Amino acid sequence: MSEVVYDRRETKRARYAVAVVFAVHGAVTGSFATRVPWIQDHASVSTGQLGFALAFTAFGASVAMPLAGRISHRFGSRTALRGLIALWTLSLTLPALAPNLLTLCLAMFTYGATAGMADVVMNALGVELEHRLGKSIMSGLHGMWSVGALIGSAAGTLAAHLGSDARLHHALAAAALTVLGVAACRWVLDLVPAEDEEPPPRFALPPRSALLIGAVGFCAVFAEGASLDWSAVYLRDQLGTSDGLAAASTTGFMLTMAVARLVGDAVVNRFGSVGTVRVGGVLAVLGGLLIVVSGHPAVAMAGFALLGLGIAVVVPLCFAAAGRSGSNPSLAIAGVATITYTSGLIAPSAIGGLAQATSLMVSFGLVTVLACGLVAFAGVLRTADRDRPKVTPPSTPVPGLHP
């Protein structure tokens, strides 16, 4: 394999810049999630209507994500990400302004569409940086997303505790995050297509490779969505704990995922994507079994922690594998993102519906079965371990590589 030469300083700077963008993206999500009850009251919608409106988030993302590749092709990755991250952070203000169900649905559609497009572009840049560095960094980038989500949710929790108006809270958060996100984009890679390169289609079905990789991501995100939305309910209703202890289980799950993602790159670089996901799948299955068979809160909380640890790096590795699976990384990443967004949407309602018909114990039995898929199908991520270039970082840029 031929030696590839990249500018070390530019690549390192771009890595930190993209990490900040990931954190900003996560902070928007965390800021929104904590104020959903306020938004529901302001829009005067029922629980069922709120669920209907929230579904427009995934709908908007699914419709818009295939456009991200075309936007990057037209404007270059740096300008595209700068514009899309600004649209995403500013869209945080929309749901709190919605006075009724119709406007809330429109707000959530816009919120999801901008989130999805920014998601595709920043993950594509992460994959390119991983290629240039010749080692795994996607887990750490997604770890920064989790850190941002935790910071955003902590600030939102404080705002809610103080009884602040979500319109003011989200306006201030959006302003700060927009400035930070746009400023960070100054140092991301500016990838532009060759003059004779055809633009990607506006809409296209995901390639087959993305479907297989997305199926692995589906299993992980289903477990994540189920745990985030139902772990506290499980401990309170199934095991009779207090609300405080139940909430601590959810927080512990989020912290476990964040820490595992931040240290996950070292594990991936040592054992590879396939081995890491298979071991993670085993841990997730063990965690699911502890949740299902446990009659004690401490054991169930340990189960949720193991589940979070096991699935933490799966989605970052799915994006990395998608970016290396064909000639159109943005299209493949958009396909995987669509599948994972869909999984995150249906998981909470599927768990609730199954629990209504049977019990929460049976619902998390389904989560455990899906976690087995991580062990069985981890091999489709092997592309993330192939073709890592031999990189020699010089002290000056190489002509032609950085337009």
Side-chain angles (χ1 to χ4, degrees):
M1 185 180 296
S2 61
E3 184 175 317
V4 183
V5 183
Y6 296 114
D7 176 16
R8 177 175 56 189
R9 288 176 298 180
E10 181 187 33
T11 302
K12 184 177 181 180
R13 188 167 56 239
R15 178 182 180 180
Y16 292 146
V18 170
V20 172
V21 173
F22 269 80
V24 167
H25 197 287
V28 175
T29 302
S31 299
F32 167 76
T34 54
R35 306 312 304 269
V36 170
W38 191 98
I39 292 169
Q40 179 182 7
D41 292 341
H42 179 70
S44 301
V45 295
S46 66
T47 301
Q49 290 173 326
L50 176 63
F52 177 74
L54 292 176
F56 277 77
T57 305
F59 180 47
S62 300
V63 169
M65 279 190 290
L67 296 174
R70 196 174 184 92
I71 294 172
S72 289
H73 184 277
R74 171 69 183 278
F75 299 104
S77 60
R78 182 180 296 163
T79 300
L81 185 58
R82 183 183 290 123
L84 291 173
I85 199 67
L87 288 175
W88 162 234
T89 52
L90 292 173
S91 73
L92 174 62
T93 63
L94 298 179
L97 297 174
N100 53 48
L101 177 61
L102 175 60
T103 53
L104 183 59
C105 289
L106 293 174
M108 297 314 303
F109 181 89
T110 304
Y111 179 85
T114 54
M117 289 189 291
D119 203 340
V120 169
V121 176
M122 68 190 198
N123 274 286
L125 283 171
V127 170
E128 174 62 22
L129 282 167
E130 187 169 270
H131 175 74
R132 294 188 180 196
L133 291 166
K135 62 180 181 180
S136 174
I137 66 167
M138 290 298 289
S139 178
L141 292 178
H142 282 254
M144 288 301 297
W145 189 97
S146 297
V147 169
L150 285 169
I151 293 173
S153 63
T157 300
L158 177 61
H161 179 72
L162 295 175
S164 68
D165 189 309
R167 291 169 294 188
L168 176 61
H169 164 213
H170 283 173
L172 294 174
L177 293 173
T178 300
V179 171
L180 182 59
V182 170
C185 287
R186 177 182 178 183
W187 293 285
V188 302
L189 295 178
D190 192 17
L191 307 176
V192 296
E195 291 184 2
D196 58 347
E197 183 178 335
E198 290 292 326
R202 288 183 174 87
F203 295 99
L205 293 174
R208 181 176 299 180
S209 59
L211 296 177
L212 296 174
I213 295 168
V216 177
F218 181 96
C219 296
V221 174
F222 192 97
E224 180 180 353
S227 299
L228 284 175
D229 285 7
W230 288 98
S231 57
V233 178
Y234 188 92
L235 263 75
R236 186 192 64 189
D237 295 352
Q238 195 75 27
L239 301 178
T241 66
S242 65
D243 287 343
L245 187 60
S249 176
T250 303
T251 303
F253 175 83
M254 292 178 64
L255 285 172
T256 301
M257 285 198 66
V259 171
R261 283 178 170 176
L262 289 172
V263 303
D265 288 321
V267 178
V268 175
N269 288 324
R270 175 67 177 85
F271 299 103
S273 303
V274 176
T276 300
V277 171
R278 281 183 176 154
V279 172
V282 171
L283 293 176
V285 171
L286 290 175
L289 290 174
L290 284 179
I291 295 167
V292 171
V293 303
S294 170
H296 193 279
V299 179
M301 292 175 72
F304 280 114
L306 272 179
L307 189 59
L309 181 64
I311 66 175
V313 301
V314 176
V315 171
L317 292 180
C318 286
F319 281 120
R324 298 176 185 273
S325 64
S327 59
N328 194 330
S330 292
L331 183 60
I333 290 171
V336 170
T338 300
I339 295 170
T340 56
Y341 267 69
T342 302
S343 178
L345 171 68
I346 69 173
S349 57
I351 293 296
L354 186 57
Q356 182 70 29
T358 55
S359 69
L360 272 175
M361 185 180 297
V362 174
S363 295
F364 277 94
L366 174 62
V367 172
T368 305
V369 171
L370 288 175
C372 294
L374 301 178
V375 182
F377 303 113
V380 302
L381 304 182
R382 199 174 305 278
T383 179
D385 293 326
R386 293 202 306 258
D387 302 327
R388 295 195 188 276
K390 181 182 178 183
V391 178
T392 301
S395 59
T396 58
V398 179
L401 288 180
H402 308 291

